[in-house]
PDB file of all heavy atoms in Angstrom:
ATOM      1  N   LEU A 918      -0.879  15.967  -6.424  1.00  0.00           N
ATOM      2  CA  LEU A 918      -0.051  17.141  -6.598  1.00  0.00           C
ATOM      3  C   LEU A 918      -0.052  17.446  -8.075  1.00  0.00           C
ATOM      4  O   LEU A 918      -0.161  18.681  -8.468  1.00  0.00           O
ATOM      5  CB  LEU A 918       1.403  16.883  -6.161  1.00  0.00           C
ATOM      6  CG  LEU A 918       1.529  16.748  -4.630  1.00  0.00           C
ATOM      7  CD1 LEU A 918       2.979  16.372  -4.270  1.00  0.00           C
ATOM      8  CD2 LEU A 918       1.143  17.999  -3.912  1.00  0.00           C
ATOM      9  N   SER A 919      -0.094  16.471  -8.925  1.00  0.00           N
ATOM     10  CA  SER A 919      -0.152  16.772 -10.432  1.00  0.00           C
ATOM     11  C   SER A 919      -1.447  17.520 -10.793  1.00  0.00           C
ATOM     12  O   SER A 919      -1.470  18.460 -11.527  1.00  0.00           O
ATOM     13  CB  SER A 919      -0.048  15.543 -11.229  1.00  0.00           C
ATOM     14  OG  SER A 919       1.111  14.803 -10.930  1.00  0.00           O
ATOM     15  N   LEU A 920      -2.528  16.996 -10.180  1.00  0.00           N
ATOM     16  CA  LEU A 920      -3.853  17.659 -10.432  1.00  0.00           C
ATOM     17  C   LEU A 920      -3.786  19.146  -9.983  1.00  0.00           C
ATOM     18  O   LEU A 920      -4.365  20.081 -10.622  1.00  0.00           O
ATOM     19  CB  LEU A 920      -4.941  16.794  -9.750  1.00  0.00           C
ATOM     20  CG  LEU A 920      -6.365  17.228  -9.958  1.00  0.00           C
ATOM     21  CD1 LEU A 920      -6.722  17.234 -11.418  1.00  0.00           C
ATOM     22  CD2 LEU A 920      -7.294  16.393  -9.157  1.00  0.00           C
ATOM     23  N   VAL A 921      -3.326  19.234  -8.767  1.00  0.00           N
ATOM     24  CA  VAL A 921      -3.261  20.677  -8.212  1.00  0.00           C
ATOM     25  C   VAL A 921      -2.379  21.591  -9.124  1.00  0.00           C
ATOM     26  O   VAL A 921      -2.805  22.706  -9.412  1.00  0.00           O
ATOM     27  CB  VAL A 921      -2.680  20.616  -6.710  1.00  0.00           C
ATOM     28  CG1 VAL A 921      -2.381  22.116  -6.194  1.00  0.00           C
ATOM     29  CG2 VAL A 921      -3.595  20.052  -5.781  1.00  0.00           C
ATOM     30  N   LEU A 922      -1.331  21.045  -9.670  1.00  0.00           N
ATOM     31  CA  LEU A 922      -0.471  21.911 -10.463  1.00  0.00           C
ATOM     32  C   LEU A 922      -1.297  22.211 -11.790  1.00  0.00           C
ATOM     33  O   LEU A 922      -1.208  23.437 -12.316  1.00  0.00           O
ATOM     34  CB  LEU A 922       0.776  21.078 -10.869  1.00  0.00           C
ATOM     35  CG  LEU A 922       2.073  21.392 -10.148  1.00  0.00           C
ATOM     36  CD1 LEU A 922       3.177  20.539 -10.433  1.00  0.00           C
ATOM     37  CD2 LEU A 922       2.528  22.853 -10.397  1.00  0.00           C
ATOM     38  N   ILE A 923      -1.849  21.207 -12.341  1.00  0.00           N
ATOM     39  CA  ILE A 923      -2.638  21.444 -13.715  1.00  0.00           C
ATOM     40  C   ILE A 923      -3.696  22.406 -13.383  1.00  0.00           C
ATOM     41  O   ILE A 923      -3.902  23.363 -14.253  1.00  0.00           O
ATOM     42  CB  ILE A 923      -3.143  20.059 -14.166  1.00  0.00           C
ATOM     43  CG1 ILE A 923      -2.028  19.209 -14.746  1.00  0.00           C
ATOM     44  CG2 ILE A 923      -4.180  20.292 -15.238  1.00  0.00           C
ATOM     45  CD1 ILE A 923      -2.421  17.762 -15.132  1.00  0.00           C
ATOM     46  N   LEU A 924      -4.486  22.377 -12.272  1.00  0.00           N
ATOM     47  CA  LEU A 924      -5.563  23.273 -12.086  1.00  0.00           C
ATOM     48  C   LEU A 924      -5.058  24.632 -11.809  1.00  0.00           C
ATOM     49  O   LEU A 924      -5.554  25.652 -12.232  1.00  0.00           O
ATOM     50  CB  LEU A 924      -6.443  22.748 -10.847  1.00  0.00           C
ATOM     51  CG  LEU A 924      -7.210  21.519 -11.149  1.00  0.00           C
ATOM     52  CD1 LEU A 924      -7.934  21.093  -9.916  1.00  0.00           C
ATOM     53  CD2 LEU A 924      -8.183  21.729 -12.295  1.00  0.00           C
ATOM     54  N   ARG A 925      -3.890  24.715 -11.110  1.00  0.00           N
ATOM     55  CA  ARG A 925      -3.270  26.022 -10.776  1.00  0.00           C
ATOM     56  C   ARG A 925      -2.865  26.734 -12.136  1.00  0.00           C
ATOM     57  O   ARG A 925      -3.094  27.913 -12.247  1.00  0.00           O
ATOM     58  CB  ARG A 925      -2.004  25.753  -9.901  1.00  0.00           C
ATOM     59  CG  ARG A 925      -1.747  27.048  -9.030  1.00  0.00           C
ATOM     60  CD  ARG A 925      -0.665  26.682  -8.155  1.00  0.00           C
ATOM     61  NE  ARG A 925       0.089  28.009  -8.038  1.00  0.00           N
ATOM     62  CZ  ARG A 925       1.217  28.129  -7.391  1.00  0.00           C
ATOM     63  NH1 ARG A 925       1.707  27.162  -6.798  1.00  0.00           N
ATOM     64  NH2 ARG A 925       1.821  29.294  -7.271  1.00  0.00           N
ATOM     65  N   ILE A 926      -2.304  25.981 -12.921  1.00  0.00           N
ATOM     66  CA  ILE A 926      -1.788  26.571 -14.312  1.00  0.00           C
ATOM     67  C   ILE A 926      -3.106  27.013 -15.031  1.00  0.00           C
ATOM     68  O   ILE A 926      -3.047  28.040 -15.730  1.00  0.00           O
ATOM     69  CB  ILE A 926      -0.995  25.477 -15.140  1.00  0.00           C
ATOM     70  CG1 ILE A 926       0.362  25.287 -14.343  1.00  0.00           C
ATOM     71  CG2 ILE A 926      -0.669  26.015 -16.473  1.00  0.00           C
ATOM     72  CD1 ILE A 926       1.116  24.063 -14.898  1.00  0.00           C
ATOM     73  N   ALA A 927      -4.063  26.269 -15.025  1.00  0.00           N
ATOM     74  CA  ALA A 927      -5.340  26.499 -15.825  1.00  0.00           C
ATOM     75  C   ALA A 927      -5.899  27.818 -15.247  1.00  0.00           C
ATOM     76  O   ALA A 927      -6.325  28.706 -15.935  1.00  0.00           O
ATOM     77  CB  ALA A 927      -6.240  25.367 -15.734  1.00  0.00           C
ATOM     78  N   VAL A 928      -5.920  27.980 -13.854  1.00  0.00           N
ATOM     79  CA  VAL A 928      -6.463  29.158 -13.256  1.00  0.00           C
ATOM     80  C   VAL A 928      -5.608  30.342 -13.665  1.00  0.00           C
ATOM     81  O   VAL A 928      -6.084  31.481 -14.088  1.00  0.00           O
ATOM     82  CB  VAL A 928      -6.597  29.043 -11.745  1.00  0.00           C
ATOM     83  CG1 VAL A 928      -6.974  30.308 -11.125  1.00  0.00           C
ATOM     84  CG2 VAL A 928      -7.710  27.972 -11.513  1.00  0.00           C
ATOM     85  N   SER A 929      -4.319  30.202 -13.518  1.00  0.00           N
ATOM     86  CA  SER A 929      -3.382  31.261 -13.872  1.00  0.00           C
ATOM     87  C   SER A 929      -3.598  31.820 -15.242  1.00  0.00           C
ATOM     88  O   SER A 929      -3.321  32.894 -15.670  1.00  0.00           O
ATOM     89  CB  SER A 929      -1.938  31.051 -13.469  1.00  0.00           C
ATOM     90  OG  SER A 929      -1.385  30.085 -14.393  1.00  0.00           O
ATOM     91  N   ARG A 930      -3.801  30.783 -16.167  1.00  0.00           N
ATOM     92  CA  ARG A 930      -4.032  31.148 -17.594  1.00  0.00           C
ATOM     93  C   ARG A 930      -5.199  32.116 -17.719  1.00  0.00           C
ATOM     94  O   ARG A 930      -5.197  33.094 -18.527  1.00  0.00           O
ATOM     95  CB  ARG A 930      -4.245  29.858 -18.411  1.00  0.00           C
ATOM     96  CG  ARG A 930      -4.613  30.115 -19.875  1.00  0.00           C
ATOM     97  CD  ARG A 930      -5.040  28.848 -20.545  1.00  0.00           C
ATOM     98  NE  ARG A 930      -5.294  28.977 -21.965  1.00  0.00           N
ATOM     99  CZ  ARG A 930      -6.520  29.132 -22.504  1.00  0.00           C
ATOM    100  NH1 ARG A 930      -7.609  29.277 -21.692  1.00  0.00           N
ATOM    101  NH2 ARG A 930      -6.683  29.286 -23.766  1.00  0.00           N
ATOM    102  N   SER A 931      -6.419  31.725 -17.026  1.00  0.00           N
ATOM    103  CA  SER A 931      -7.520  32.557 -17.079  1.00  0.00           C
ATOM    104  C   SER A 931      -7.161  34.011 -16.472  1.00  0.00           C
ATOM    105  O   SER A 931      -7.678  35.012 -17.038  1.00  0.00           O
ATOM    106  CB  SER A 931      -8.666  32.100 -16.207  1.00  0.00           C
ATOM    107  OG  SER A 931      -8.803  30.700 -16.653  1.00  0.00           O
ATOM    108  N   LEU A 932      -6.366  34.001 -15.458  1.00  0.00           N
ATOM    109  CA  LEU A 932      -5.998  35.385 -14.783  1.00  0.00           C
ATOM    110  C   LEU A 932      -5.130  36.123 -15.691  1.00  0.00           C
ATOM    111  O   LEU A 932      -5.364  37.313 -15.877  1.00  0.00           O
ATOM    112  CB  LEU A 932      -5.295  35.055 -13.426  1.00  0.00           C
ATOM    113  CG  LEU A 932      -6.240  34.471 -12.405  1.00  0.00           C
ATOM    114  CD1 LEU A 932      -5.391  34.281 -11.095  1.00  0.00           C
ATOM    115  CD2 LEU A 932      -7.353  35.509 -12.057  1.00  0.00           C
TER     116      LEU A 932
END
Side-chain angles (χ1 to χ4, degrees):
Chain A
L918 292 177
S919 301
L920 183 61
V921 169
L922 260 175
I923 289 172
L924 292 176
R925 206 177 145 185
I926 292 169
V928 170
S929 72
R930 176 189 182 261
S931 310
L932 292 176

